[in-house]
Amino acid sequence: MASKTIAEIVKSTLGPRGMDKMLLARYDRLIVTNDGATILDEMDVKHPAAKMMAELAKTQHQEVGDGTTTAVVTAAELLKKAEVLLDQNIHPTVIVHGFKMAVEQATKMLDELSVKVNLEDREVLKKIAITSMCGKGIEAAKDHFAEISIRAVKQAAEKRGDGYFVDIDDIQLVKRVGKSLNDTELIQGVIVNDRGVVNPEMPKYVRNAKVALIKFPLERALARQRPGYGGEITIRDPYQMKAFVGAESEIIQKIVDKIKKAGANVLMCGSRIDEKAQHILENLGIMAVQQVKDSTMEKLSRATRGKIVKDPMDITDKDLGSCGVVEERKFGNDKMVFVQECEEPKSVSIFIRAGLERLADEIERVLRDSISVIANVYMKDKIVAGGGAIEAELAKRVRKYARKVVGREQLAVEAFADALEAIPRTLCENAGLDPIDILVDLRASHEDKNGVWQGVDVFNGGIVDMMKKGVIEPLRVKELAIKSAVEAASVILRVDDVILAPESKPSKGTSHRAPG
Ligand code: ADP
Ligand code: MG
């Protein structure tokens, strides 16, 4: 019951004609989203079975970045079908076993049905990106976003053996309210998004930048150079004090000279930069940013190919990173430093612009999805057609397989096949089409051997060839959605009792925090 309630909530967001949800989340944040994972993440779910579903969405989101709603809707449908079997006195373990047999077959069939893509084929990649963005309220900018996503993934992809590996964390998403969606840009490098140049007198724009990446405070090197390092020094009179301070300035000068001598014109420092040092840097015309986060430092290193140096006294020209331009940009009161035009950077950024904060937030989620799907095809270059086509075809094939299954498991295998059809059905429902008529047509068209990719035409009604229509999705997304749906449903089916600690009493079904 609880799991089904969860599915009911996200169901209406599925597909290009799905609706959005408006959530009043923790700390009174207002969120408007079409993303299943976000909805479940922000909801205050208490019931353990409902939590399972939320976790399912989260795993799907983390692993492949898309297909979260699909996974949840499929899992709930599996449970619904299982309920019917339970009523017929079929034991849960038999159902679970049948589901397992079915999903094994389905995985094999998926692989056979999938089509290999050529990663050089931009048009196909673009269609994949656009399919993932369908219905997210950004129609006007989807071509632009698709282009950006493809370029970003291509840049971040790393060749490993015969294939590619993409860590989507190498694509930084930074958003700022202002301008319009189409001003969203790909930065070939890194955005230091919470800092400006440390001193207003320093240059704000450096061309042909040589970037020194220093992790620790310059003073640390200073301490080491200082007379009496490691011990104490006793100062007895003002002259000694003056001499000491003088010596300190001299050492700071030495350290900054070292950075300058290495050829740096930009300094990114992981900690604070002492005022004296700032002054010397300023005089030498070096742009400096202080307190750069560790994670940003690593990105800078991947983008500029510079080395993160621990002790500035050791720095040489070989440690420096390079890029076309480093520039401070100002947005209202915020300053950000753009390290851009890097050559072949392994870490890139997308600078998101939108007129409204909530829109910018949603764009971030949409871009995450489209980057993920492209990354998925880079990692496994196989695709299937969406719009319910792959589910309808799998359902047909699994049904055929069911006939060969002996024992009561056969019923569970059939139930699994029926559950897959929840996707085309929901796409119809959300588009305001009659699901019964369309599912009948869909089944009939899949009987034809050329009907493999027939799916729901949510815009005009009826059924069309989704492959031809360009509604395509990575194999990895579909495969994981089905597998994890079965896993989640199986876990819930095996449970015969929910026992709660005294303080965590759930309300019936799911519990939502009432707004206000
Ligand atoms: P999920 O969280 O599961 O990714 P989405 O809301 O992104 O949910 O919807 C994905 C579903 O919408 C997939 O089944 C996909 O094939 C389908 N879809 C996407 N674009 C189209 C389209 N143009 N026509 C029909 N179905 C589409
Ligand atoms: Mg999606």
Side-chain angles (χ1 to χ4, degrees):
M1 179 65 202
S3 330
K4 278 190 287 185
T5 313
I6 289 284
E8 279 307 317
I9 292 169
V10 293
K11 208 173 163 186
S12 67
T13 68
L14 186 83
R17 302 199 58 186
M19 302 294 281
D20 293 350
K21 295 282 167 185
M22 195 179 244
L23 293 123
L24 190 62
R26 272 154 279 199
Y27 316 115
D28 278 349
R29 277 173 310 132
L30 180 62
I31 299 173
V32 180
T33 184
N34 183 280
D35 184 48
T38 308
I39 299 167
L40 294 180
D41 194 35
E42 293 292 348
M43 250 167 61
D44 194 10
V45 182
K46 287 258 167 59
H47 194 287
K51 272 206 163 104
M52 276 292 309
M53 298 294 257
E55 247 162 60
L56 162 65
K58 203 166 163 186
T59 318
Q60 178 79 16
H61 184 70
Q62 281 169 353
E63 291 279 316
V64 289
D66 194 20
T68 48
T69 315
T70 304
V72 172
V73 169
T74 311
E77 194 68 16
L78 284 167
L79 288 170
K80 208 158 146 194
K81 301 283 172 204
E83 211 175 7
V84 178
L85 298 180
L86 289 173
D87 286 344
Q88 297 169 13
N89 275 332
I90 297 176
H91 198 272
T93 53
V94 174
I95 303 176
V96 169
H97 187 222
F99 282 174
K100 188 165 164 265
M101 292 165 74
V103 80
E104 268 167 23
Q105 289 301 316
T107 316
K108 271 190 224 146
M109 293 166 185
L110 255 175
D111 202 60
E112 283 161 18
L113 283 165
S114 64
V115 180
K116 215 171 156 68
V117 283
N118 176 1
L119 294 178
E120 298 303 318
D121 187 345
R122 282 234 160 189
E123 282 313 304
V124 176
L125 295 184
K126 208 165 155 184
K127 284 175 188 157
I128 298 168
I130 288 179
T131 301
S132 83
M133 291 190 270
C134 243
K136 314 277 178 187
I138 47 135
E139 299 307 303
K142 63 183 184 196
D143 279 321
H144 183 55
F145 289 166
E147 280 296 331
I148 289 185
S149 310
I150 295 166
R151 276 166 56 209
V153 173
K154 191 169 183 197
Q155 206 53 262
E158 224 173 74
K159 192 121 189 119
R160 280 200 193 161
D162 292 337
Y164 283 96
F165 175 77
V166 188
D167 180 355
I168 63 164
D169 286 337
D170 282 330
I171 303 167
Q172 180 195 19
L173 298 180
V174 178
K175 54 189 179 210
R176 254 311 157 266
V177 176
K179 294 207 177 173
S180 75
L181 302 187
N182 279 311
D183 294 307
T184 297
E185 57 179 323
L186 178 70
I187 305 287
Q188 300 280 358
V190 179
I191 303 172
V192 184
N193 63 349
D194 49 356
R195 302 263 166 245
V197 172
V198 62
N199 187 315
E201 304 299 322
M202 287 176 179
K204 305 271 168 48
Y205 185 95
V206 177
R207 206 157 240 307
N208 296 326
K210 293 274 173 223
V211 189
L213 304 170
I214 296 176
K215 189 159 177 153
F216 294 111
L218 301 182
E219 298 93 272
R220 183 146 140 174
L222 169 77
R224 238 175 310 138
Q225 304 287 317
R226 194 180 268 160
Y229 165 66
E232 253 176 47
I233 40 169
T234 322
I235 293 171
R236 291 204 181 75
D237 58 53
Y239 295 106
Q240 262 179 352
M241 182 66 195
K242 206 170 164 201
F244 177 74
V245 173
E248 200 175 69
S249 306
E250 217 169 88
I251 299 162
I252 292 186
Q253 180 81 46
K254 231 158 94 190
I255 296 166
V256 178
D257 279 346
K258 195 87 190 177
I259 296 168
K260 174 83 184 169
K261 211 168 135 218
N265 48 16
V266 175
L267 166 65
M268 293 284 168
C269 186
S271 24
R272 290 206 44 206
I273 301 176
D274 175 77
E275 272 196 24
K276 265 186 230 126
Q278 281 182 27
H279 186 68
I280 303 169
L281 286 162
E282 175 199 318
N283 284 341
L284 291 171
I286 295 175
M287 175 202 273
V289 183
Q290 67 175 358
Q291 288 177 309
V292 179
K293 274 194 270 171
D294 277 2
S295 55
T296 312
M297 276 300 224
E298 268 153 38
K299 288 198 174 85
L300 283 166
S301 167
R302 285 176 68 75
T304 66
R305 303 186 178 243
K307 215 175 109 195
I308 301 171
V309 179
K310 298 220 167 89
D311 186 339
M313 287 311 273
D314 298 339
I315 199 164
T316 68
D317 57 343
K318 287 196 190 64
D319 300 322
L320 300 184
S322 62
C323 73
V325 170
V326 180
E327 173 191 12
E328 180 187 87
R329 297 193 205 170
K330 212 171 162 233
F331 305 91
N333 290 325
D334 297 340
K335 290 173 185 162
M336 298 192 223
V337 178
F338 286 64
V339 178
Q340 57 201 32
E341 294 176 27
C342 298
E343 211 173 296
E344 293 299 313
K346 279 289 151 223
S347 183
V348 293
S349 311
I350 298 176
F351 190 45
I352 300 169
R353 302 311 307 267
L356 286 171
E357 193 181 334
R358 277 178 252 305
L359 189 55
D361 291 347
E362 184 70 348
I363 301 297
E364 187 179 4
R365 291 187 279 268
V366 167
L367 277 171
R368 269 256 166 265
D369 279 10
S370 76
I371 290 168
S372 301
V373 288
I374 302 294
N376 278 314
V377 234
Y378 261 82
M379 292 193 268
K380 189 167 186 178
D381 54 358
K382 288 185 165 179
I383 50 155
V384 294
I390 185 66
E391 287 87 359
E393 182 65 22
L394 281 178
K396 179 191 98 181
R397 294 188 179 205
V398 172
R399 247 180 232 125
K400 208 181 245 166
Y401 160 75
R403 282 181 228 141
K404 286 185 276 176
V405 175
V406 282
R408 292 182 158 203
E409 274 86 354
Q410 186 188 69
L411 299 172
V413 175
E414 270 170 5
F416 171 92
D418 293 345
L420 290 175
E421 284 177 341
I423 300 304
R425 191 178 336 112
T426 308
L427 288 172
C428 289
E429 282 166 8
N430 290 349
L433 303 170
D434 184 352
I436 298 178
D437 290 348
I438 295 199
L439 279 191
V440 169
D441 286 353
L442 195 61
R443 281 193 185 180
S445 68
H446 276 264
E447 285 308 320
D448 184 348
K449 90 178 171 320
N450 296 322
V452 176
W453 299 126
Q454 294 290 332
V456 184
D457 185 347
V458 293
F459 297 107
N460 307 312
I463 49 177
V464 284
D465 187 308
M466 286 294 158
M467 205 50 113
K468 287 201 186 110
K469 200 151 183 260
V471 177
I472 43 188
E473 296 183 81
L475 170 64
R476 264 188 104 200
V477 173
K478 286 292 174 201
E479 193 181 304
L480 192 74
I482 294 176
K483 274 189 185 163
S484 32
V486 168
E487 254 169 50
S490 304
V491 171
I492 295 171
L493 278 173
R494 280 201 201 93
V495 174
D496 69 345
D497 226 337
V498 177
I499 301 161
L500 298 162
E503 69 271 20
S504 57
K505 274 208 189 78
S507 55
K508 226 174 169 184
T510 37
S511 129
H512 307 263
R513 177 179 302 185

